[in-house]
Amino acid sequence: MIENKLSVHRLPGTFLMWLILLNEFLVFAGLIVACALFRVREKELFISSTGHLNLQSGIKATLFLLVGGYFAAEFIKYSEKKGSKRAVAGLLAAIVAGFLFLHHKWQDLGALSAQGFDFARDDFWLFYWGIMTFHFAHVLVAVGILLYILFAYLKSEKISEENSRFFASGVLFWHLCDVIWVMIFPLFFWRP
């Protein structure tokens, strides 16, 4: 009898991280669905309010996140080898992209607030500020995780299976921020 050997591929990261990702995704999905329903119910308010948002600013934020996601994935690709310069460069580029996103979004939110478009103005701005600041906090945590991974990678003696799962978990959290932004962007910046 010939035995059929199937290779077992594990999901990257840890089971706990996948539970966290699922939880955060569901929370954001609930907020986005609620906002989308509000958009249908209060179409004129939504359209007039989105007119105060800067599409170029939204595109720039998207590029920062997606470029950061690319370089975070590059880190994973080259992190198997201890001290890989390409891994370090990828992770540093992802961290810089994260800081650029945070700085850009901080400036964007500050400009809106200075113009009087804060969370207390009306229901649209309550949704906008709630979702944007919640996402901002997630990107801030993701950048912190990537910084921690950088130091762990640089000081590790060898790259063990446990290290690899830990690195993958952190990068998965970064990608969660990418995926959430890709859902947020059309909600607020697409104008019918």
Side-chain angles (χ1 to χ4, degrees):
M1 177 178 229
I2 298 174
E3 191 174 312
N4 184 8
K5 294 185 179 182
L6 296 174
S7 66
V8 178
H9 294 283
R10 296 173 54 137
L11 286 173
T14 63
F15 180 70
L16 177 59
M17 181 52 75
W18 282 100
L19 287 178
I20 292 168
L21 296 175
L22 177 62
N23 179 65
E24 295 305 304
F25 184 82
L26 291 174
V27 169
F28 270 107
L31 289 169
I32 290 167
V33 166
C35 189
L37 291 172
F38 171 76
R39 179 180 179 148
V40 169
R41 197 183 87 223
E42 298 289 337
K43 187 174 184 173
E44 288 187 26
L45 173 62
F46 208 96
I47 289 172
S48 69
S49 296
T50 58
H52 299 286
L53 300 177
N54 184 329
L55 178 61
Q56 287 77 24
S57 176
I59 291 170
K60 191 185 265 187
T62 303
L63 291 175
F64 288 142
L65 285 175
L66 295 180
V67 166
Y70 169 80
F71 283 111
E74 284 292 293
F75 164 73
I76 292 299
K77 182 177 173 181
Y78 294 106
S79 66
E80 298 287 323
K81 182 180 172 198
K82 166 71 179 118
S84 166
K85 289 180 181 174
R86 289 185 85 170
V88 171
L91 198 51
L92 283 172
I95 291 166
V96 168
F99 277 125
L100 288 171
F101 172 86
L102 292 169
H103 174 74
H104 175 72
K105 205 65 203 155
W106 183 267
Q107 296 295 320
D108 189 46
L109 292 172
L112 286 169
S113 180
Q115 295 171 36
F117 300 113
D118 61 15
F119 69 93
R121 185 176 180 106
D122 59 40
D123 287 344
F124 169 84
W125 293 104
L126 180 64
F127 271 114
Y128 182 83
W129 278 85
I131 291 172
M132 289 297 173
T133 56
F134 195 45
H135 182 262
F136 183 94
H138 279 74
V139 175
L140 186 61
V141 168
V143 169
I145 290 170
L146 293 182
L147 280 167
Y148 186 81
I149 288 171
L150 176 64
F151 292 119
Y153 179 75
L154 291 173
K155 79 173 203 172
S156 62
E157 297 290 321
K158 66 179 186 129
I159 308 303
S160 66
E161 175 77 23
E162 185 178 331
N163 290 109
S164 293
R165 280 197 315 273
F166 169 69
F167 299 157
S169 290
V171 169
L172 283 169
F173 192 83
W174 176 271
H175 290 311
L176 169 75
C177 296
D178 286 346
V179 169
I180 298 302
W181 182 260
V182 167
M183 293 188 315
I184 291 171
F185 179 80
L187 180 65
F188 290 113
F189 293 97
W190 176 69
R191 294 178 185 104

